[in-house]
Amino acid sequence: GDVDTATTVFRKAVTLAPSDSEVLASFAHFLAQEGDRKSYREALELFSKALKLSPDNAAYALQYARLLKKTRNTSQADLMYQVAVRKSKGYKKLEPAAICNYATFTCRQRRNPSLAYRMFISGLDKFPDHKGLLKNFELLVKSNPDVGSPSALQAAKEKRVHTPSSKSKVRRALAMANSQSDLLEGDSGTNDSP
């Protein structure tokens, strides 16, 4: 079917471009979705090669960390999440996702909710609108009432409410401001006309 065709196409692409990290990582991501051990093993090898070719690629590191976690390579996953967080600094979409994934991993796999709590707080200070950070932080606080305080969760939610949550809201606010400005200019223009 379609999976077999896609696999064949990916294999051909890897044969034609064995040093193209994007091809390797794309095929690895595809294989990771398959869900069988053979596919996982091959995906792990491909992610490793992709990262050797593009060691600063935070997206590859994050995908690789997720697969390492899925295959229960906890120690390696922990290290790769650290790499992903470090390499993603400054990327508005990737950095909060890396922080969220690593904090969640730290809580669930490493069973260290205190450290995860601090990671979420740090992430939410920098990215108050990131839905995954807020949602997973909320789950952490609810499932570990002895860690942190519910007031920190409330503060994170309040901070989010006061921050524009999307570009469309910002655009609407600017449009409203511009229309108000146009109305004011229009009023003064009619008064000044001869």
Side-chain angles (χ1 to χ4, degrees):
D2 292 337
V3 171
D4 293 334
T5 303
T7 303
T8 302
V9 169
F10 271 123
R11 288 197 191 290
K12 181 134 182 142
V14 168
T15 302
L16 294 171
S19 296
D20 186 327
S21 63
E22 189 172 347
V23 169
L24 296 171
S26 295
F27 189 26
H29 183 71
F30 171 78
L31 289 171
Q33 305 306 309
E34 287 302 296
D36 62 73
R37 286 181 189 221
K38 184 181 176 192
S39 295
Y40 286 162
R41 276 194 301 275
E42 189 173 359
L44 288 168
E45 289 176 27
L46 290 166
F47 272 131
S48 179
K49 288 178 184 176
L51 277 166
K52 284 178 184 164
L53 293 166
S54 296
D56 291 330
N57 193 308
Y60 299 168
L62 184 57
Q63 291 173 344
Y64 190 28
R66 288 175 179 155
L67 182 57
L68 287 164
K69 179 190 81 166
K70 192 185 260 187
T71 58
R72 294 191 170 101
N73 291 307
T74 307
S75 296
Q76 289 178 308
D78 193 299
L79 292 172
M80 198 49 57
Y81 275 121
Q82 290 176 40
V83 168
V85 168
R86 190 172 55 252
K87 300 286 183 183
S88 68
K89 290 215 186 299
Y91 292 95
K92 287 184 179 181
K93 289 186 178 182
L94 194 55
E95 185 179 1
I99 294 167
C100 183
N101 276 259
Y102 188 36
T104 302
F105 171 85
T106 300
C107 182
R108 292 182 182 162
Q109 271 69 37
R110 287 294 184 192
R111 305 202 191 305
N112 190 341
S114 298
L115 178 57
Y117 179 88
R118 291 191 303 275
M119 294 165 78
F120 278 120
I121 291 291
S122 174
L124 285 166
D125 280 345
K126 195 168 183 182
F127 303 100
D129 290 331
H130 193 270
K131 291 177 185 173
L133 278 169
L134 192 59
K135 179 182 142 211
N136 288 343
F137 180 60
E138 185 172 7
L139 291 171
L140 169 79
V141 171
K142 285 180 179 177
S143 61
N144 299 282
D146 55 320
V147 175
S149 68
S151 62
L153 176 61
Q154 188 59 36
K157 285 182 177 181
E158 287 172 6
K159 186 174 183 180
R160 184 173 192 268
V161 169
H162 298 297
T163 305
S165 62
S166 69
K167 291 179 184 176
S168 60
K169 283 185 179 179
V170 172
R171 277 191 232 118
R172 276 185 269 154
L174 288 172
M176 285 175 54
N178 287 336
S179 68
Q180 292 295 330
S181 164
D182 291 344
L183 286 173
L184 293 173
E185 287 175 12
D187 289 342
S188 64
T190 53
N191 291 341
D192 292 340
S193 300

